[in-house]
Amino acid sequence: MMLSRFFAALAICVLPLAAAASEGDVTAGKKVFKKCGACHFVDKEKKKIGPSLKGVIGRTAGTWGKYKYSKAMKAAGEGGLSWSEEQLAEYLIKPRKLVPGTKMAFPGLKKPEDRSNVIAYIKTFSEPPAE
């Protein structure tokens, strides 16, 4: 009985921390974004080498109108790939694994906390999709 109370108390303390960790740290994400910023804007709808990431969360892959995407990225979007936080996290591990043939040459972010943090930062520049 005491052991089950201990685990219940532990869960009450640890679960909020795990949820917060999955949310990511915006300030840390801004630092991680410097790796992305060579090719992408996040704060304005303007292309660099790559498309703007402003409003990317909720966007169908390969559809931002001011950028010429690879055939692979367009096909991924036509196949249903939409940039949710989960899909971005998967893509950022190794972009060419999720979308073979993408023009994105970036090798990926190996650390889960870097991915979580950069997504938290990108999310601050994304409006919820129109209903």
Side-chain angles (χ1 to χ4, degrees):
M1 186 70 141
M2 288 292 286
L3 194 57
S4 64
R5 286 186 186 165
F6 170 76
F7 284 117
L10 183 64
I12 289 170
C13 294
V14 172
L15 288 176
L17 294 175
S22 68
E23 288 290 318
D25 179 299
V26 173
T27 303
K30 184 176 182 178
K31 291 177 186 173
V32 175
F33 190 82
K34 289 179 182 179
K35 296 177 183 182
C36 312
C39 298
H40 299 278
F41 284 113
V42 71
D43 58 343
K44 53 186 152 190
E45 292 194 16
K46 185 175 176 185
K47 68 179 178 176
K48 277 189 171 182
I49 294 169
S52 171
L53 299 180
K54 183 175 184 177
V56 72
I57 296 177
R59 182 189 303 158
T60 300
T63 62
W64 187 65
K66 300 175 185 177
Y67 185 75
K68 184 174 168 64
Y69 289 93
S70 65
K71 289 179 183 178
M73 188 61 75
K74 286 181 183 178
E78 290 165 1
L81 179 61
S82 181
W83 296 121
S84 65
E85 292 177 54
E86 295 78 16
Q87 287 288 222
L88 278 174
E90 184 179 345
Y91 183 69
L92 289 173
I93 293 170
K94 193 171 185 180
R96 291 184 177 194
K97 182 177 181 184
L98 183 66
V99 183
T102 182
K103 293 194 284 187
M104 188 156 134
F106 186 70
L109 296 170
K110 303 305 174 212
K111 296 179 183 177
E113 64 271 15
D114 284 349
R115 293 189 300 272
S116 178
N117 293 340
V118 80
I119 290 168
Y121 178 66
I122 289 169
K123 189 176 171 182
T124 66
F125 296 95
S126 292
E127 297 176 19
E131 294 181 18

